[in-house]
Amino acid sequence: MARERSIAAAQTVPVRGDVAANTDAHLRLAHLAADEGAAVLVFPELSLTGYEMDLAEPLAFVPGDPRLAPLVAAAAARGLTLVVGAPVRIDDRLHIGALILAPDGTVAVYTKQRLGAFGAGAAVDGTVPPGEATVFAPGRLDPLLRISGHPMAIGICADTGRPAHPQAAADRGATTYLASVFVIPSEFDREAANMAVYAARHRMAVVFANYGGPSGGLASAGRSAIWSETGERLVELDRSGAGIAVAVHTGAGWRARAIMLGGGQPAPPEPRRHAP
């Protein structure tokens, strides 16, 4: 019998190109999530570098990259699978990757399949990042995770905008869909509605991890969240700032908790409980 499902989204405020500072922030959230009982913690798209197209090449990771060592150690020490975002170089091609750091010390990679671009109206400082296809190649690596007996699939941002992607995850047996994203304010309502539809349609819990601050000249919507397999939004973070959203499913149903760091306050003060 599968054990309880404990899933979490990390909302980060990236420091442009500062992998060390971003790693420290990841570690703080990882330990917080582990303290809350999470078995898997998902970070936003390109979370270790920020959404910085001009820095992707010089900052690119490889699966065994020594810069991952502190995160690999934390995953092992806390029994927590971390899904972190970074530009990843594989066979001389640059991809938008999700690095999957397991408690047993292994590192796997998901590579973004559908590359995206932002329109001129998305900029907050007059600059729009170049389209991802000018920097990255689409990828095909798509491992299915099994955490505490629960199959889980990953999608990165534009991947999740294509209904065929969560459909394929469900067809492979996934009961949880881990969405690592960078969603701007004008796109949030549409993306959140999609997550709820996917959850209910495929009977999958959905974890949605977004930035809590600007990156690459663009504002972020924040509001990282988790939906149950009925499409109910169990928990949501603030529009700005760093924190975690955690949801745990047991025989008694879901309980969920949001914790914001810094200026934010834990919300709710006690875990909410939801009927199955």
Side-chain angles (χ1 to χ4, degrees):
M1 179 181 296
R3 289 173 284 168
E4 71 176 23
R5 190 169 13 161
S6 49
I7 52 182
Q11 182 164 295
T12 64
V13 180
V15 180
R16 172 179 156 82
D18 193 333
V19 172
N22 291 328
T23 296
D24 287 344
H26 281 48
L27 289 169
R28 184 180 182 190
L29 294 174
H31 287 297
L32 183 59
D35 290 344
E36 292 293 320
V40 59
L41 178 63
V42 185
F43 287 84
E45 180 179 27
L46 294 173
S47 59
L48 286 175
T49 61
Y51 192 84
E52 308 293 345
M53 297 295 100
D54 61 319
L55 298 180
E57 177 75 31
L59 294 180
F61 282 67
V62 295
D65 201 295
R67 291 173 294 175
L68 294 173
L71 293 166
V72 171
R78 301 307 305 269
L80 174 66
T81 297
L82 302 175
V83 181
V84 303
V88 179
R89 183 169 298 284
I90 299 172
D91 296 332
D92 294 325
R93 303 188 82 190
L94 193 62
H95 301 279
I96 295 178
L99 294 156
I100 305 153
L101 316 180
D104 65 1
T106 60
V107 179
V109 184
Y110 172 94
T111 49
K112 188 174 184 177
Q113 300 172 11
R114 183 187 185 193
L115 301 177
F118 289 95
V124 294
D125 65 358
T127 303
V128 178
E132 292 170 359
T134 67
V135 179
F136 299 100
R140 296 183 178 180
L141 297 179
D142 189 5
L144 187 68
L145 314 185
R146 188 169 291 273
I147 299 173
S148 300
H150 299 281
M152 303 186 183
I154 296 171
I156 300 179
C157 212
D159 288 338
T160 72
R162 186 168 46 116
H165 193 272
Q167 176 71 63
D171 290 345
R172 295 163 67 199
T175 58
T176 303
Y177 189 57
L178 309 175
S180 171
V181 304
F182 177 24
V183 171
I184 62 177
S186 62
E187 296 178 355
F188 178 81
D189 287 343
R190 181 190 67 204
E191 297 300 326
N194 285 343
M195 298 301 120
V197 168
Y198 299 155
R201 177 181 297 163
H202 303 300
R203 302 296 296 176
M204 297 190 298
V206 174
V207 181
F208 175 89
N210 195 21
Y211 288 145
S215 192
L218 304 175
S220 180
R223 301 177 69 180
S224 300
I226 300 174
W227 286 261
S228 77
E229 64 276 9
T230 66
E232 177 190 8
R233 196 176 315 189
L234 298 170
V235 59
E236 180 181 296
L237 297 182
D238 293 346
R239 288 175 171 80
S240 62
I244 60 167
V246 184
V248 179
H249 188 271
T250 67
W254 287 99
R255 65 180 187 271
R257 179 170 172 83
I259 302 175
M260 296 298 300
L261 301 182
Q265 297 295 323
E270 296 295 335
R272 293 164 52 196
R273 297 185 182 274
H274 301 265

